[in-house]
Amino acid sequence: MIKMDNIRKVYNTGKIEVEALRGLDLHIKKGEFITVIGPSGSGKSTLMNIMGCLDKPTTGEYRLNGKSIKQLNDNELSELRNHEIGFVFQNFNLLPYASAYENVEMPLLFAGVGGKMRKRKVEYILNKVGLSDRMDHRPNELSGGQKQRVAIARALVNDPNIILADEPTGNLDSHSGKEIMELFVNLWKEGNTIVMITHDPRAKDYTDNLVNITDGCIV
Amino acid sequence: MIIKNIIQILRELTKQKLRTFLTLFGIFWGTTSVILLLSFGMAVKANTSKTMHGMGEQICIIWAGRTSISYGGFPKGRNLSWYNDDAQYLKDNVQLIDDISPQYSRHVSVNVGSKKQYFSVNAVWPDFKEMRNMVPREGSRFLNPLDQEKRRRVVFIGNEVEKTMFGEEDAVGKIMYIGGTPFTVIGVIIKKEQDGSYNGRDKDAIFMPTSTYLGIYGDRFVDNMVVRAKDVNKTEEMKHAIINAMAKKYRFSPEDEQALPIWDTTEMDQFLNTFFNGFTIFLGIVGVMTLIVGGIGIANIMYVIVEERTSEIGVKRAIGAKKRLILFQYLVETFIIASVGSISGFLFSLLLMFAINKAPIEDFVGVLKFNPTIAFTSILIISAITFVAGWGPAKRASTLDPVVAING
Ligand SMILES: Nc1ncnc2c1ncn2[C@@H]1O[C@H](COP(=O)(O)OP(=O)(O)OP(=O)(O)O)[C@@H](O)[C@H]1O
Ligand SMILES: [Mg+2]
């Protein structure tokens, strides 16, 4: 499903050049649960953003479902992000003025899904993440764990082929962190493909597919 | 799809109350202040022009002077006087004259009932009315040729005279004793602004036919004459013709500048024109400055808001919003905000104008009038600034890679 070959990413901040990824190869098959670990600053987020088409590699070949990302124009990339990728951020990135319902509904609006269908899907998915009683709450009226559930629901609502999560439990206390981890494990068991960055030492309890990144390379 | 989008935009706008309010208020205030300021300027301009012309437009006042050049056997320093028939003489001999009236004037005690007061009593021809802006109040009239012919004992009085002698009552039709002789009041002048004058303000004066006046007082000389040319542009020529005609009759040098002093108000008009041209330029500059200041304020708010939105735009892009959707949302949003803001600012400025016009400051600034050109250009320019200020950042935010936009 994901084929990354010799991916390099160089950040150019004024005088200093930072090579965040140094020729990295990664192949992910459908139905896998990959956990990415590694020290801070090693390039995990950089990798994830490229995988989610939120950023472009400096060089290297990235194929998602057989399509070469380089060849896609902006509209096609937007559609890809909308339909095929569900991205979960460490700091949730919910729109503060919109309710949980409206946040989850947004990808469907961008996809042009009709009103009745939207309602059905949003309610189903919010129910699935256990938030059916918080639909009209705004992010600042929700706990961290609940916010992350909204973000996961938003990532899932368009039935993506792959779910990417960048430290989804990083901003949560251990209890809600555990709950969110369990949610991901259940999603995986339902057949979803998941890539997750985590610092959680118990990561290997959930999956044996561990990718360790250090200094922009897989070790 | 478009309608769904607009609904969503409206929803977002109402949810982001503070942000929407700030922008709306900026545009609202910008529009209000520009429209109001320029209307003030226009009103002051119109008012000044009106009061400057209160005495009359494009007229010449002629007095008798004293010769300063010896001529035709007469030594210099001879005092001249104009006789009762000189006005007719000039009217017959100078073709360029359109209207003319002699004017006699003296202070006479006037009484009504037990009230007694001195007023300036003037005698003039009916032509005086048009030249000197003697507008009668509704239901009253100025002196007419019949009054003149029949030597009627009628007077046209200033509004302050009426107030002093009759209080709040309507003086028209009432009797007023002037130097002991009863006169009927046939007209009262409407309240007018008058900055220029040569023997007191019209509001404090009494006017009667010259025939009646001469019958009572028997003056031999006029105090002054008032004339107006058929064509304003020929005023200079007319003055020369008058001087030549009088010089011939009274044997003084046509070159003698002091023999026949003339106050030509068209000269003042020329000055006023220059002054008003300057004032208009000044107003234009003030308007442009206000627009710039207002525009900078709005541009600032817009800029900050779109910058602040960059990460939101990034999030939207991350979950699949296309570039053109982001820009379309921005356009619709700006359109809604700019139109609501500027239209409410426009309505508010109308309201303020209405309120200001009620306040007792009319004498200083005149009446504020709604000027559609000013209003619509202001609205247009302010909306354009709003749009342009936000367009750059919005476009930039939509072009960035989502992760870059999210991180600001
Ligand atoms: N936008 C950027 N501009 C410049 N340098 C960047 C940028 N983003 C990341 N970097 C640099 O790239 C390197 C990798 O960063 P990255 O965020 O991928 O690390 P990470 O493994 O996710 O770390 P953490 O565990 O702390 O989240 C770091 O040295 C970082 O400073
Ligand atoms: Mg990271």
Side-chain angles (χ1 to χ4, degrees):
Chain A
M1 167 166 285
I2 282 182
K3 265 174 129 63
M4 294 181 119
D5 292 303
N6 201 19
I7 296 289
R8 280 180 73 246
K9 178 72 182 180
V10 179
Y11 289 112
N12 222 330
T13 46
K15 289 173 210 142
I16 321 152
E17 275 197 357
V18 179
E19 195 170 7
L21 298 176
R22 310 158 182 255
L24 178 148
D25 304 317
L26 182 62
H27 294 196
I28 297 171
K29 289 200 231 20
K30 197 170 163 52
E32 278 188 307
F33 189 158
I34 306 283
T35 317
V36 180
I37 55 168
S40 186
S42 57
K44 303 184 296 295
S45 296
T46 307
L47 172 69
M48 202 64 140
N49 292 335
I50 290 171
M51 219 184 277
C53 300
L54 304 181
D55 207 350
K56 291 191 196 85
T58 310
T59 58
E61 176 71 10
Y62 172 27
R63 292 176 162 273
L64 181 66
N65 283 333
K67 275 173 283 190
S68 174
I69 298 306
K70 250 189 286 189
Q71 258 117 59
L72 301 180
N73 66 23
D74 195 79
N75 274 347
E76 290 164 331
L77 279 176
S78 297
E79 277 169 21
L80 206 71
R81 289 194 288 262
N82 190 235
H83 289 109
E84 302 194 22
I85 298 164
F87 206 100
V88 180
F89 299 88
Q90 176 175 350
N91 55 356
F92 326 124
N93 277 334
L94 299 173
L95 296 181
Y97 51 83
S99 67
Y101 183 97
E102 287 160 346
N103 266 293
V104 175
E105 188 188 24
M106 213 159 278
L108 296 173
L109 281 170
F110 298 150
V113 176
K116 274 203 193 106
M117 185 69 160
R118 282 206 308 273
K119 191 167 177 337
R120 200 159 356 115
K121 283 193 154 193
V122 173
E123 283 173 358
Y124 168 78
I125 215 84
L126 277 170
N127 189 36
K128 187 167 177 175
V129 298
L131 280 181
S132 33
D133 56 341
R134 291 286 187 278
M135 289 204 258
D136 296 326
H137 290 234
R138 293 213 205 170
N140 62 4
E141 298 158 352
L142 296 170
S143 74
Q146 288 168 335
K147 276 185 228 177
Q148 197 56 296
R149 284 163 195 271
V150 175
I152 292 168
R154 182 177 66 183
L156 289 175
V157 75
N158 240 346
D159 304 317
N161 288 319
I162 186 161
I163 299 163
L164 305 175
D166 187 349
E167 286 191 60
T169 60
N171 281 0
L172 304 178
D173 62 75
S174 60
H175 177 70
S176 15
K178 194 157 172 282
E179 281 180 0
I180 292 293
M181 280 310 273
E182 278 161 9
L183 184 57
F184 274 104
V185 171
N186 286 334
L187 287 171
W188 171 53
K189 284 181 179 154
E190 285 170 18
N192 287 293
T193 312
I194 299 174
V195 181
M196 180 193 289
I197 299 176
T198 182
H199 282 297
D200 192 336
R202 290 166 301 178
K204 41 185 163 321
D205 300 348
Y206 303 111
T207 168
D208 37 27
N209 265 330
L210 230 76
V211 172
N212 192 338
I213 296 188
T214 308
D215 276 344
C217 299
I218 295 178
V219 294
Chain B
M1 184 66 193
I2 285 179
I3 291 176
K4 213 153 55 185
N5 256 313
I6 292 175
I7 291 170
Q8 203 207 334
I9 290 162
L10 283 173
R11 210 160 60 179
E12 287 187 22
L13 280 178
T14 51
K15 300 222 168 207
Q16 305 170 75
K17 288 195 182 65
L18 182 65
R19 200 190 258 176
T20 309
F21 172 78
L22 278 179
T23 333
L24 270 178
F25 188 75
I27 295 167
F28 164 82
W29 194 244
T31 314
T32 305
S33 41
V34 170
I35 292 181
L36 221 56
L37 201 86
L38 290 181
S39 299
F40 249 110
M42 304 282 277
V44 169
K45 178 176 157 177
N47 190 50
T48 315
S49 164
K50 197 178 90 194
T51 58
M52 293 278 192
H53 286 139
M55 196 185 74
E57 272 172 70
Q58 293 145 357
I59 54 173
C60 296
I61 325 287
I62 300 170
W63 285 273
R66 166 183 237 241
T67 57
S68 63
I69 300 172
S70 56
Y71 182 81
F74 293 103
K76 64 180 180 181
R78 178 166 54 111
N79 281 320
L80 297 169
S81 304
W82 311 140
Y83 287 82
N84 296 334
D85 57 357
D86 280 341
Q88 194 58 48
Y89 165 77
L90 283 176
K91 193 166 188 171
D92 294 341
N93 288 286
V94 180
Q95 297 304 315
L96 292 164
I97 293 178
D98 189 22
D99 293 316
I100 186 162
S101 169
Q103 183 168 14
Y104 304 85
S105 160
R106 61 171 65 209
H107 276 265
V108 182
S109 90
V110 174
N111 48 312
V112 172
S114 58
K115 281 187 198 138
K116 182 176 171 176
Q117 177 114 21
Y118 277 84
F119 283 107
S120 155
V121 171
N122 294 256
V124 295
W125 288 359
D127 276 356
F128 194 78
K129 177 188 177 207
E130 293 305 321
M131 288 188 285
R132 291 271 280 90
N133 273 343
M134 307 298 263
V135 184
R137 197 168 66 198
E138 226 181 285
S140 74
R141 64 172 178 87
F142 193 68
L143 310 166
N144 65 24
L146 215 60
D147 298 330
Q148 178 75 11
E149 193 186 309
K150 306 242 167 188
R151 295 187 184 196
R152 284 178 180 158
R153 287 207 297 255
V154 291
V155 283
F156 179 84
I157 63 176
N159 50 319
E160 287 297 324
V161 177
E162 179 189 43
K163 208 167 172 186
T164 314
M165 301 310 288
F166 296 93
E168 293 305 312
E169 280 175 56
D170 186 352
V172 178
K174 299 231 162 67
I175 303 293
M176 152 183 266
Y177 287 86
I178 299 174
T181 314
F183 279 79
T184 308
V185 178
I186 52 160
V188 181
I189 193 167
I190 58 157
K191 187 168 180 278
K192 70 171 176 180
E193 304 303 328
Q194 179 184 359
D195 280 357
S197 76
Y198 49 90
N199 65 19
R201 304 288 151 115
D202 297 337
K203 62 182 163 89
D204 300 319
I206 295 173
F207 300 87
M208 65 172 71
T210 54
S211 54
T212 317
Y213 180 92
L214 291 175
I216 296 171
Y217 299 104
D219 291 16
R220 287 178 65 208
F221 306 118
V222 303
D223 286 279
N224 60 274
M225 292 188 273
V226 182
V227 293
R228 180 153 69 180
K230 283 187 175 124
D231 175 354
V232 201
N233 300 318
K234 297 251 169 78
T235 304
E236 252 346 276
E237 249 178 85
M238 178 191 77
K239 286 191 317 200
H240 280 294
I242 288 174
I243 291 172
N244 285 332
M246 294 302 264
K248 205 165 96 193
K249 186 169 176 189
Y250 291 99
R251 291 161 165 271
F252 60 87
S253 162
E255 313 294 318
D256 192 339
E257 303 217 321
Q258 287 171 32
L260 195 146
I262 297 180
W263 178 17
D264 180 355
T265 66
T266 57
E267 276 169 19
M268 180 158 88
D269 275 355
Q270 272 154 20
F271 162 74
L272 278 183
N273 270 341
T274 324
F275 172 75
F276 280 139
N277 283 341
F279 195 71
T280 308
I281 293 170
F282 167 74
L283 267 187
I285 293 173
V286 167
V288 170
M289 290 297 186
T290 323
L291 268 175
I292 290 175
V293 170
I296 289 175
I298 293 162
N300 214 12
I301 294 173
M302 249 353 247
Y303 186 79
V304 168
I305 282 174
V306 184
E307 280 288 294
E308 186 191 307
R309 295 195 88 165
T310 302
S311 79
E312 280 171 28
I313 290 173
V315 171
K316 283 186 181 171
R317 296 263 295 145
I319 58 175
K322 289 179 185 162
K323 208 184 284 183
R324 60 162 187 262
L325 180 82
I326 302 280
L327 289 177
F328 174 76
Q329 285 195 347
Y330 168 77
L331 276 181
V332 175
E333 215 179 278
T334 313
F335 179 77
I336 293 171
I337 287 188
S339 34
V340 171
S342 56
I343 288 170
S344 56
F346 162 70
L347 292 177
F348 185 64
S349 64
L350 281 187
L351 198 79
L352 278 183
M353 277 190 210
F354 182 75
I356 290 169
N357 283 340
K358 294 249 145 182
I361 53 167
E362 198 192 318
D363 288 353
F364 314 113
V365 297
V367 180
L368 296 188
K369 279 209 191 70
F370 166 65
N371 182 321
T373 320
I374 289 182
F376 293 123
T377 24
S378 315
I379 288 181
L380 214 70
I381 292 178
I382 287 193
S383 306
I385 291 172
T386 312
F387 170 74
V388 171
W391 180 254
K395 176 118 183 145
R396 189 184 76 97
S398 74
T399 315
L400 292 175
D401 284 324
V403 69
V404 181
I406 289 175
N407 296 331

